Amino acid sequence: MKKHIYFTILLITFLSVNDILGQNFPKAGSNYPNPELDKFVGNWIWINKSDTVWLKTKKENLKFSGNFTVDALIGHFKQLKGKTVVRDSFKTHNEKKQVRSTGFSAGMNQSGNKIGGSLSDYEANKFYKIELILGEDQKSLTFSILTPLEGARIGTSTNSSIPKKMIFIKVK
């Protein structure tokens, strides 16, 4: 019986290691460009009664700890309630300050006009899985907060400080 248990544990360990080694990890110095992200880049606006959210997106080539780079979509928000600015991550991002501000990165798991990513909502101390869907005319962008990211929650609330779903219109 002990031999059977030992063999089973050994087999599971071997299969687990084999599965990990079988993955294609990016090689150091590799670059993974994604020209499809260009259609998501721009300035966007969402208006709902007295609430306004401006979204600015751009494509950046991000470097990861494995010494490889990947194109990603980066987004920053400016939110107003009436005429009062609730948040403005444009300013902190443009000044290149190392200040925590609400923003997102997306695009590493793209399927056509739909990309996924993660939102850092520092005002709510939460991190969320998000989805962006570009309209067929490429003039509208649906931004949806899907779920809190497990292991990245602070506190028990699952509420974001920004609306869970917004349909942005592209502005020139």
Side-chain angles (χ1 to χ4, degrees):
M1 183 68 173
K2 281 186 176 182
K3 283 185 178 182
H4 182 66
I5 293 171
Y6 176 74
F7 178 74
T8 303
I9 292 171
L10 186 61
L11 181 63
I12 290 170
T13 304
F14 173 76
L15 292 174
S16 297
V17 169
N18 192 33
D19 187 43
I20 291 169
L21 294 177
Q23 293 181 10
N24 294 324
F25 290 106
K27 294 180 182 175
S30 296
N31 181 37
Y32 297 92
N34 185 353
E36 288 291 310
L37 291 178
D38 293 340
K39 59 189 175 187
F40 290 89
V41 172
N43 296 310
W44 306 84
I45 189 170
W46 171 84
I47 300 172
N48 184 18
K49 299 179 184 171
S50 66
D51 295 338
T52 304
V53 177
W54 289 89
L55 171 64
K56 191 179 290 188
T57 58
K58 67 180 186 172
K59 184 171 80 170
E60 288 187 10
N61 195 250
L62 303 179
K63 187 173 185 175
F64 285 86
S65 60
N67 201 22
F68 64 95
T69 57
V70 175
D71 281 348
L73 187 71
I74 305 298
H76 294 278
F77 298 94
K78 182 173 184 176
Q79 183 178 6
L80 291 91
K81 289 219 179 260
K83 293 183 181 184
T84 305
V85 175
V86 176
R87 82 180 73 244
D88 187 355
S89 65
F90 289 176
K91 186 175 180 182
T92 55
H93 181 72
N94 289 337
E95 293 174 358
K96 298 200 183 286
K97 292 181 178 180
Q98 296 299 319
V99 176
R100 292 182 172 202
S101 61
T102 297
F104 70 83
S105 62
M108 293 178 218
N109 57 342
Q110 181 177 356
S111 176
N113 284 351
K114 181 176 167 181
I115 58 176
S118 60
L119 167 72
S120 302
D121 186 350
Y122 284 105
E123 284 78 1
N125 290 317
K126 304 276 185 266
F127 302 91
Y128 297 93
K129 182 178 178 181
I130 61 167
E131 177 180 79
L132 296 116
I133 302 173
L134 189 64
E136 286 187 34
D137 61 359
Q138 298 187 3
K139 294 180 181 178
S140 65
L141 180 69
T142 302
F143 177 95
S144 301
I145 296 175
L146 303 178
T147 58
L149 291 172
E150 293 301 320
R153 282 196 258 177
I154 301 170
T156 56
S157 171
T158 58
N159 295 329
S160 169
S161 67
I162 62 173
K164 291 191 183 284
K165 185 171 185 177
M166 297 177 281
I167 300 175
F168 288 91
I169 304 299
K170 194 166 198 172
V171 289
K172 296 182 181 196

